[in-house]
Structure formats: C-alpha cells, structure tokens
Amino acid sequence: MSKTFNYPTPRKAEQFDDYHGTTVADPYRWLEDPDSEETQQWVQAQNEITFKFLEQIPLRETLKQRLTKLWDYEKYSIPFKQGNRYFYYKNDGLQNQSVLYTLKSLDGEPRELLDPNKLSEDGTVALSGTAISEDGNLLAYGLSSSGSDWQEWKVRDIETGQDLNDHLQWIKFSGASWTHDNQGFFYSRYDEPNEATKLEDANYFQKLYYHKLGTPQSDDILIYHRPDQKEWGFAGGVSEDGKYLIISVWLGTDPKNLVFYKDLTDSNSQVIELINEFEASYSFIDNDGTLFWFHTDLNAPRGRVIAIDINNPSKENWPEIIPQTDEVLESIGLLNNQFVADFLKDARTQVKIFNLDGSFVREVELPGIGSAGGFGGKRHDTETFYSFTGFTSPATIYRYDMITGKSTVFRKPNVDFNPEEYETKQIFYPSKDGTQVPMFITHKKGIQLDGNNPTYLYAYGGFSISLTPWFSVGQLIWMELGGVLAIANLRGGGEYGEDWHQAGMKHKKQNVFDDFISAAEWLIENKYTQPKKLAIGGGSNGGLLVGACITQRPELFGAALPDVGVMDMLRFHKFTIGWAWCSEYGSPENPEDFNILYSYSPLHNLKPNTTYPATMVTTADHDDRVVPAHSFKFAATLQENHTGENPVLIRIETKAGHGAGKPTAKIIEELADKWAFLARVLEIS
C-alpha cells in the first residue's frame, strides 16, 4: 500500500466462490450493498481523502471558473414538428436541465412547455423521454430522479400547460407511442420492484401495454408479453399512417432483434410474428400500405434497405432497395417521399438521398468533417433540420430544403473561444495483429512533437457504439491547458459495421484492449507524449477498457480516469440490466466464457506490490445501470495492492446515476476535478 496516502483499510470477508472448478476470492462483496452503514462509512472516508487531495490543487478553482464561463452559451436542440406546432429544447447556458419549448411557427414567440429545473431544487430530476400526440395537443413525458433508469410518466395538455391525472410507474428502457386517435399510447414496463433494492435487482419480464387517457394504470391493456422469455424486451411504435403497431423485440444489448406487428384498424387483431429469429438487426423505416421498409444488417454487416410485403412475407420475396456500400449505414428515414440515409465513412458522417426505388439522388453537402444528426420529420415534409458538430465546432443547427438541397444556418452557438487556434487530424495506426485503427487527434496549432505534451486518450470499444467527432467544453479546456486530445475508434464499436463490432466482443474482447494499448504506443512513438504524460479515460464499457489496460500495462500510462466502469466481470450479470450484456461479453456461467472474462476482469487482475498509474475512479451512488459496487470493489482492491506514491483515489458522486440527466452544475464540478487531478499528476503548470 502507498505510504503517501492513508487509505481506509476495509474489512476483508472470507468470501470464496467456485467458478467451474476455479476458486475466486471476493473479500469486498459487502460493498455491493450501497445502503449498508459499513458501505456508507467507506464511501464517506474515500470521498474525504479524494476531496482533500483535490482541494489542494491551485488550478482546480481556475478550471471550474473557466468551465463555467465557456459552458455559459445558449444550446438548442433540433426543432421538430407535430400537428401544427414546433417543439425544441433550449438551455440558456448554465441551467441544470434543458427546457422544452413550443411555438406555432419557427419565427413565432416560443412558450415554455416543461421546465425540469422546477421539479427539484438541485436539478437531479430529469426529463427522460417525451411523446407528442398526433394532433400536437398532448405531451406524454417521462421523469427520472438522481440519474436512475427508472422512469414515471405523466401527460400534459400543451395548450393549457396543465398536467392531466394520468400517472404511470415502473417504466424502464421504454418510450411512448400515441395512437392516431390521440386517446392513448403504448409503452413498456416491468412489474413493481422491491422498493428497498430497486437500484440493484435484476430486471426481467418486460411487458408491452396500452394506456388509455383518463384511466388508472391498473386498467392498462396488456398488448404483449412472454412469460416463457424473461429476457425479452418490447419497443412498440405506431407507424406513420397510424395503421400498425410495430413491435421490436430486443434481447440484451445484442443488435439482433425480432419484429412483430398488430393491425390497429381491427380491434380483434392478434400480434403477428413477422421476423421470429434473432439472426440480424431490423429497424422499421416506414410503410406503403402492407409494404414495410426495413434497415437491416442481414447478410450485410454495414447495413442495407429491404422491403417486406406482410401479405407475402417469406424471405425469398424480400427485394433489396438500397444495397450495402463500403460505408456503414447508420440510420435512415423518409422525407419528401425519399430516403434520407446517414452513413459513416471512417467515423465521419455522410448523408445521401435516394428515391423510393433505391436510385441515388444526391449527397447532402455538409459544412465539413464531423458528425451530423437529425433529418427527422414526416414522409411528405419538404424541410428538415440537422445539427453539425466537430471537436472544435459547437453544434450548429441547419435547416435543409429537400427540394433545392440547400442548407441554411438556423441556430449558431456563440462560444468564447477561437476554433481557428486548433486543428484536428485523423490518422490510422496498426494494432497488435496489424489491423488498421482510426484515431482523431486534436490540439492547439503549433505544438512541438517532443514527447512532452500532456495527452488524454479516450475510447469506448463496445456495443456497436461509434465515436464520431463531437464538441465538448470539457475537451476544449483540456486543449487550452496545452493538452492533446486523442479519440481512438476501437474494434467493438460500430464504425465499420457489425464485423467491426464482433471483432471486439466476447472471446475477441482482448482485441479492444490491444487496439487501445497500440494507440498509446503510437502516440509515444510519434513523439506526441511519453508514458508519464499520458492519461487514459473512458466511461461504462470504456471504464472497463481503462481498468483492463492499467492492469495489463501499468507502466504505459501516467494517469487513468475510469468512469462508472464494469470492473467485476464475474458478477456484472447479477445486477439490474447487467444480464443483458452477456450477449456482448459472454456469461460467467459458461465455462469457456468464464476463462476469457477472468483473464481480463479488472477487479481480478490487480496484482500485489505493483505500481499503478495515478488513478481517480469515478462513480455515483445511484447508478442503476453499472452499479457502484464495480467501482467500489475495484478501488478498494487497487488501494490494497498499489505501491508507490501515485494517488489511487475514488470520487463518489451522490444523488447521481450513470450520467443521463446529470445536472450541469455536477458535470462542471466533476470535469474540474478530473482535469485538476490530471494537471497535478501529469505536472501541467
């Protein structure tokens, strides 16, 4: 144990488990109970040490002030239309939560519809979902408290701003979708959990319901459930013509899904299984009567568009409308009776327009290299909106004319910095097995490649999630300090389609860690930095990435910031929705999977008398996605095994969850603490 810090010495319990003949000790199992007095005393003791260290860093307050100043700019969401109204979210700058506004025309006077900041004193109640009725007169909205995945839904009259009596509970991993008579909506929920353990207990047996306005939740109509399939989840959405309920059936986090449907024009109709094998992903785009269009990766790992006539649904009758290309088809919608397709080329956005027969019309001219999102709307709309952002370009909202193909600026933020002082480039580096992996590198112009630049290497590498360029005030502050920002697009992500994802999951997970380690080595070899100036960071699955890499190559890094990470790969499946990640990681219950998981599980690969990089683990006491036990047990074990003077600390946020809906004030405090920690341990003046 380090001599510099007097870490708590938590009780070590005699807890041993037998995994397929291998005995594994778990002495800090008791830290899995976040509400026990013993755990809470440990949390308090850890936070005292961490905040005492942070408070002694002179730069911390300066960073917080600069973050606050830069953060204080108006942020707009992409506007959307329903009925005869437009809607958008806006944050004045430092509001903890964005406010939902409505207006009759885009140049009209906006009216506040829902301000989540008024729902709690500290901004910890967040708006987690919205659905607006077909006529644009009613808003169904979901709220979550302290960052929990649990939501409760209410209904508001948009004209009067008053809430109706409807109140729905025990909703998780669900939106809402209105029937076109504006009388009610479909949603998915779980059975009522045990109040005392609802933040840890596993979630099974989701059910799809219809809620009729003005009735109690107990009267809601059960549309579909599967008592024989406890892991299946259901997402119900009403087609744009209002005639069909499309049910996407999900199993864990695997992209593969089933598709069922119900004819809403016939009150006696049954749920029909259109696609009943988990063999590919199918995303419903729209329909022309009984002809349904789907975005799928069936026999096309980078995605394509097919059509299915539900009157003649056998596979040999599925015509291909838009074939697979070299780029990854990320998403697709219908506007102006044309397909608008969002592609990824080397983790950068391309948007192309096609006719309904699949013939190419044009590529949308984007403002530069970066990420575009939006292009929402109804099938016959001739205008739409999109946002465009890059590492040094705050998100600007554009209006796009589908007929002329012209983009015009709708909202441009005013941030107190000069983007011309920074540059971004994309490089490709070889991983351990020779695979070429892309990485974005952004920094102030004119830096010296002398190996002395503080560098922050960030990645995710899992669940088919792509890291495309995005603007963040936090990243900008790091670069203002003279730091280099490196974002690596590891295998496990979705940057090159499903093959790229599968090359970094289950038994191939080590590829992800090799890709990250190789990125670090490339940055060192190319004189951007050196080990003692190199920090790595990642959250959730990216926290697992950081934990695995500091246990495999502790000498390669100067600092590590694992955030809300999955650190215990032998027990992740026992809490909340953790079981759903077995499709990504494999299951500890399976002997072959166990051997792989045990070989890299961060908690189980910390070694006694080892010098680890300066580390600040971050988690939250209310995280019910990746429960805090992962970070608690990892930090306790890290402190027990670590030697040397590098601080190995844990910062535990209270009244916060996995990150969604986190108040602005908490985000700024946490970022100031992270950069202050790195400034101290990497010796940034």
Side-chain angles (χ1 to χ4, degrees):
M1 184 174 285
S2 163
K3 303 175 191 62
T4 319
F5 289 85
N6 192 13
Y7 299 114
T9 46
R11 171 174 67 86
K12 294 187 75 169
E14 290 287 315
Q15 175 68 48
F16 298 94
D17 299 290
D18 183 305
Y19 291 90
H20 317 289
T22 301
T23 302
V24 179
D26 193 6
Y28 302 126
R29 173 82 52 89
W30 54 270
L31 281 169
E32 290 180 1
D33 180 358
D35 299 315
S36 77
E37 195 174 327
E38 194 175 15
T39 300
Q40 293 192 336
Q41 285 172 352
W42 181 88
V43 166
Q44 192 176 344
Q46 292 288 355
N47 270 343
E48 277 173 20
I49 293 170
T50 301
F51 286 105
K52 185 179 173 187
F53 177 80
L54 293 169
E55 281 156 12
Q56 291 167 356
I57 303 171
L59 196 57
R60 182 187 187 215
E61 191 52 40
T62 313
L63 284 167
K64 189 174 170 185
Q65 287 171 9
R66 180 64 178 149
L67 275 162
T68 304
K69 185 167 189 278
L70 272 181
W71 212 281
D72 195 4
Y73 69 92
E74 287 186 330
K75 301 164 192 73
Y76 288 88
S77 77
I78 299 166
F80 56 99
K81 191 179 185 187
Q82 191 72 346
N84 60 352
R85 289 184 168 93
Y86 287 93
F87 301 86
Y88 65 83
Y89 297 90
K90 180 186 162 210
N91 190 307
D92 290 342
L94 293 172
Q95 287 174 289
N96 276 321
Q97 305 288 345
S98 293
V99 180
L100 178 60
Y101 292 90
T102 183
L103 57 174
K104 289 286 175 72
S105 68
L106 282 174
D107 45 13
E109 188 62 34
R111 178 168 62 83
E112 182 185 297
L113 177 55
L114 200 153
D115 182 358
N117 299 292
K118 294 175 179 170
L119 302 175
S120 65
E121 300 223 339
D122 55 3
T124 54
V125 173
L127 190 59
S128 53
T130 57
I132 292 158
S133 62
E134 187 66 13
D135 58 11
N137 291 332
L138 294 166
L139 164 73
Y141 66 97
L143 299 175
S144 83
S145 298
S146 300
S148 171
D149 278 333
W150 285 113
Q151 307 170 14
E152 50 185 282
W153 281 68
K154 299 180 176 182
V155 179
R156 180 162 291 192
D157 182 311
I158 291 172
E159 192 58 51
T160 66
Q162 297 299 306
D163 279 347
L164 309 182
N165 291 328
D166 304 76
H167 182 215
L168 308 180
Q169 290 178 286
W170 314 125
I171 299 172
K172 204 187 239 204
F173 314 124
S174 173
S177 188
W178 288 83
T179 46
H180 282 208
D181 59 6
N182 310 297
Q183 293 301 303
F185 52 83
F186 299 97
Y187 73 100
S188 299
R189 59 164 285 193
Y190 291 94
D191 290 336
E192 185 173 341
N194 177 333
E195 185 60 34
T197 54
K198 68 180 182 184
L199 295 183
E200 300 101 64
D201 289 349
N203 308 128
Y204 292 118
F205 297 111
Q206 198 183 44
K207 299 182 172 92
L208 176 63
Y209 283 93
Y210 176 71
H211 173 72
K212 185 168 169 48
L213 283 184
T215 63
Q217 187 173 16
S218 54
D219 289 356
D220 287 356
I221 299 162
L222 178 63
I223 301 297
Y224 197 77
H225 75 128
R226 285 295 287 268
D228 59 326
Q229 299 289 351
K230 70 176 184 178
E231 296 183 346
W232 286 14
F234 307 100
V238 177
S239 58
E240 193 181 308
D241 64 7
K243 293 178 179 173
Y244 296 98
L245 172 67
I246 312 294
I247 304 169
S248 177
V249 183
W250 52 271
L251 176 60
T253 53
D254 193 329
K256 300 183 183 81
N257 64 307
L258 312 180
V259 180
F260 302 163
Y261 69 89
K262 179 178 165 64
D263 183 346
L264 295 177
T265 63
D266 175 4
S267 58
N268 296 315
S269 67
Q270 298 299 305
V271 170
I272 306 292
E273 297 188 5
L274 181 62
I275 294 162
N276 58 10
E277 278 182 77
F278 284 103
E279 60 175 354
S281 77
Y282 298 88
S283 176
F284 178 77
I285 303 167
D286 205 336
N287 64 298
D288 222 346
T290 61
L291 187 73
F292 287 17
W293 290 295
F294 287 96
H295 168 201
T296 182
D297 63 6
L298 177 71
N299 304 325
R302 293 182 300 283
R304 61 187 178 128
V305 175
I306 61 168
I308 303 177
D309 188 331
I310 58 172
N311 290 332
N312 191 11
S314 58
K315 225 179 232 177
E316 61 270 18
N317 301 318
W318 295 0
E320 180 172 79
I321 309 298
I322 301 174
Q324 175 174 253
T325 67
D326 291 341
E327 290 77 44
V328 178
L329 179 59
E330 283 274 279
S331 61
I332 187 161
L334 270 188
L335 290 164
N336 192 39
N337 227 24
Q338 294 173 314
F339 291 112
V340 180
D342 176 359
F343 290 94
L344 264 195
K345 179 178 173 58
D346 295 330
R348 310 181 317 207
T349 302
Q350 288 183 335
V351 180
K352 296 176 182 175
I353 296 173
F354 299 87
N355 288 317
L356 294 186
D357 62 3
S359 57
F360 176 72
V361 179
R362 65 172 169 267
E363 185 168 339
V364 175
E365 283 186 37
L366 295 174
I369 292 172
S371 307
F375 296 98
K378 301 274 198 228
R379 180 167 173 179
H380 297 286
D381 288 353
T382 57
E383 70 160 10
T384 186
F385 297 86
Y386 68 91
S387 79
F388 185 82
T389 182
F391 291 115
T392 56
S393 320
T396 298
I397 312 281
Y398 292 85
R399 190 175 189 167
Y400 185 72
D401 187 315
M402 287 292 298
I403 295 166
T404 66
K406 290 278 179 287
S407 294
T408 48
V409 173
F410 177 67
R411 293 276 187 270
K412 188 177 172 67
N414 184 19
V415 185
D416 181 24
F417 87 111
N418 180 8
E420 297 304 315
E421 292 174 6
Y422 299 87
E423 60 184 333
T424 295
K425 64 178 155 199
Q426 186 179 40
I427 64 96
F428 293 81
Y429 66 89
S431 187
K432 185 178 178 179
D433 63 1
T435 300
Q436 291 291 308
V437 181
M439 176 162 60
F440 292 105
I441 302 174
T442 309
H443 50 72
K444 277 185 176 170
K445 287 177 179 170
I447 64 162
Q448 300 297 308
L449 294 182
D450 57 6
N452 282 318
N453 300 295
T455 298
Y456 182 62
L457 171 61
Y458 179 91
Y460 187 78
F463 295 91
S464 196
I465 289 170
S466 304
L467 291 187
T468 61
W470 77 98
F471 177 79
S472 109
V473 167
Q475 290 171 178
L476 183 60
I477 295 283
W478 173 251
M479 294 186 285
E480 284 191 342
L481 286 170
V484 172
L485 175 70
I487 310 285
N489 297 105
L490 315 179
R491 281 175 284 185
E495 286 86 354
Y496 294 103
E498 187 54 19
D499 287 350
W500 191 253
H501 171 216
Q502 290 186 10
M505 60 187 270
K506 290 195 172 173
H507 291 207
K508 295 179 179 172
K509 188 68 178 174
Q510 184 59 40
N511 284 340
V512 184
F513 312 139
D514 291 343
D515 288 356
F516 202 47
I517 288 165
S518 298
E521 291 173 336
W522 188 94
L523 289 164
I524 293 163
E525 283 161 17
N526 287 273
K527 297 281 191 267
Y528 279 91
T529 192
Q530 55 182 297
K532 70 176 186 182
K533 291 280 187 186
L534 175 60
I536 52 173
S540 196
N541 174 72
L544 157 63
L545 171 70
V546 171
C549 288
I550 64 169
T551 58
Q552 292 183 14
R553 292 292 301 278
E555 82 298 340
L556 188 59
F557 313 106
L561 294 176
D563 183 37
V564 295
V566 187
M567 300 305 201
D568 182 347
M569 298 309 295
L570 303 187
R571 288 177 61 77
F572 71 86
H573 60 310
K574 294 185 179 292
F575 300 96
T576 63
I577 197 66
W579 61 264
W581 314 331
C582 289
S583 55
E584 180 80 13
Y585 297 137
S587 168
E589 313 285 336
N590 172 322
E592 289 174 6
D593 291 351
F594 163 77
N595 289 329
I596 302 284
L597 292 164
Y598 192 43
S599 73
Y600 71 75
S601 176
L603 174 65
H604 301 98
N605 284 278
L606 291 162
K607 296 175 183 66
N609 302 315
T610 303
T611 300
Y612 287 100
T615 301
M616 186 166 72
V617 179
T618 45
T619 188
D621 63 352
H622 276 72
D623 190 338
D624 56 2
R625 182 84 56 85
V626 180
V627 292
H630 285 279
S631 293
F632 290 178
K633 286 160 58 172
F634 180 76
T637 311
L638 176 62
Q639 290 173 349
E640 178 193 346
N641 286 312
H642 172 61
T643 58
E645 297 186 356
N646 296 334
V648 288
L649 307 173
I650 180 168
R651 181 191 187 280
I652 302 150
E653 186 69 75
T654 53
K655 278 190 80 174
H658 197 59
K662 189 180 283 189
T664 300
K666 280 186 188 281
I667 295 172
I668 288 174
E669 282 170 14
E670 187 174 320
L671 275 169
D673 287 351
K674 284 180 173 180
W675 296 147
F677 179 82
L678 292 188
R680 164 62 64 88
V681 300
L682 301 181
E683 298 178 353
I684 302 172
S685 54

